[in-house]
Amino acid sequence: LGGKKKMAGEWQKTFTMLTIIIHFVHPLLCVANYLDWVRYEDDLSSRVKNLYLAATIIATVMYLLVASVFYMWAYRWPLPEEYAQKRRIYGIMVNLIFSDIPLFAIEVDIIWKVGIVSGIQGATFFFTSLSFAYSAIRSWIYLMIAVIKATRPQHHLGGGGGGGGGYPPPIAPQSFHPAAAPPGTYHRPAPSAVGVTSSDLANRRPLQPPQALEYSIPAADSYQLAANPAGGIIPQHRPQGGLSQFSGTT
């Protein structure tokens, strides 16, 4: 069991490190792409250049201040596995919203207008597409699993009972009427079916008080009754004559 946990922790670290590398290289390439090609390209308008610069700055800042914190948190504590996955997916969603989607949209628009005319531009677009696909697929899988765990199939969706492959239909609670019970008996309803009311308590048979018992033993076979620590009563020989009496309650 310890070996399996260790292996699961190593896999979590591997996935987290892969995410860190992809989302760290992406903004660096975008910065290099802007400094080397975007700002000098005459076919691009000033609006597109400013949008690309703003998106690159936002992507870099959000990665350094938010997404990387979640990644390092998941890398430092890979177990429990479920918690590590949640921390990593939070960083991926932040990167998807503030980095991958804006930069992917702007670069697709640039390629649609001027095409791929530079090596750094092509490399940046490849990494932007890779980062966007990775973040989108991971986020989609996480949300899909979360929805499946949080919802339950209904009858009209194929999850009904009656021999089907889904969940059985819920059992309706049944009421109890004390008047229908046989005389001298009391049935206490289950807490999930119906609560005990004052009328139910009135029909309950009262407990009998303890009764006093007295035992007499002939003088010829006189014994002294003593309590047994293990339970019950053990007789002990009594040499004196007369009757030995023992009183107790049951």
Side-chain angles (χ1 to χ4, degrees):
L1 184 59
K4 290 183 179 180
K5 286 186 176 181
K6 184 177 180 180
M7 183 176 297
E10 293 299 326
W11 276 110
Q12 290 299 320
K13 283 189 173 183
T14 302
F15 290 144
T16 305
M17 182 57 63
L18 177 63
T19 305
I20 292 174
I21 293 174
I22 293 176
H23 290 168
F24 176 71
V25 174
H26 177 218
L28 292 182
L29 284 176
C30 290
V31 172
N33 185 36
Y34 175 81
L35 296 177
D36 184 70
W37 179 77
V38 172
R39 66 175 179 169
Y40 297 116
E41 180 60 37
D42 296 332
D43 294 333
L44 297 178
S45 63
S46 299
R47 174 177 171 274
V48 174
K49 294 179 181 180
N50 294 333
L51 283 176
Y52 192 84
L53 176 61
T56 302
I57 294 175
I58 293 174
T60 305
V61 171
M62 292 303 294
Y63 174 82
L64 294 177
L65 299 183
V66 182
S68 61
V69 176
F70 286 107
Y71 296 154
M72 296 308 299
W73 195 7
Y75 186 84
R76 176 62 180 83
W77 287 283
L79 295 175
E81 187 175 358
E82 182 179 358
Y83 294 160
Q85 291 176 352
K86 286 184 178 181
R87 294 161 187 163
R88 185 171 59 247
I89 201 65
Y90 293 157
I92 290 175
M93 287 183 174
V94 170
N95 198 84
L96 175 66
I97 296 173
F98 294 98
S99 175
D100 294 329
I101 293 178
L103 287 172
F104 180 77
I106 296 174
E107 291 188 16
V108 168
D109 180 70
I110 292 175
I111 292 177
W112 185 265
K113 292 179 179 178
V114 301
I116 298 179
V117 296
S118 172
I120 187 65
Q121 179 201 6
T124 303
F125 179 72
F126 171 78
F127 231 90
T128 299
S129 302
L130 176 64
S131 179
F132 173 75
Y134 177 79
S135 301
I137 293 174
R138 291 299 303 273
S139 300
W140 174 72
I141 292 176
Y142 174 79
L143 292 176
M144 180 180 60
I145 295 176
V147 170
I148 291 175
K149 289 182 177 181
T151 59
R152 176 176 177 176
Q154 303 297 324
H155 293 280
H156 65 279
L157 296 179
Y167 293 94
I171 301 176
Q174 300 178 358
S175 301
F176 169 74
H177 301 282
T185 62
Y186 171 72
H187 174 76
R188 183 175 183 178
S192 60
V194 63
V196 179
T197 62
S198 58
S199 61
D200 297 336
L201 297 176
N203 293 328
R204 182 176 60 180
R205 184 174 61 184
L207 298 176
Q208 298 295 332
Q211 300 177 358
L213 300 179
E214 184 175 293
Y215 302 92
S216 297
I217 301 176
D221 300 319
S222 180
Y223 287 85
Q224 182 179 1
L225 299 179
N228 186 2
I233 299 176
I234 54 176
Q236 296 181 354
H237 181 67
R238 187 181 182 204
Q240 293 83 0
L243 294 178
S244 175
Q245 294 185 348
F246 170 78
S247 297
T249 60
T250 60

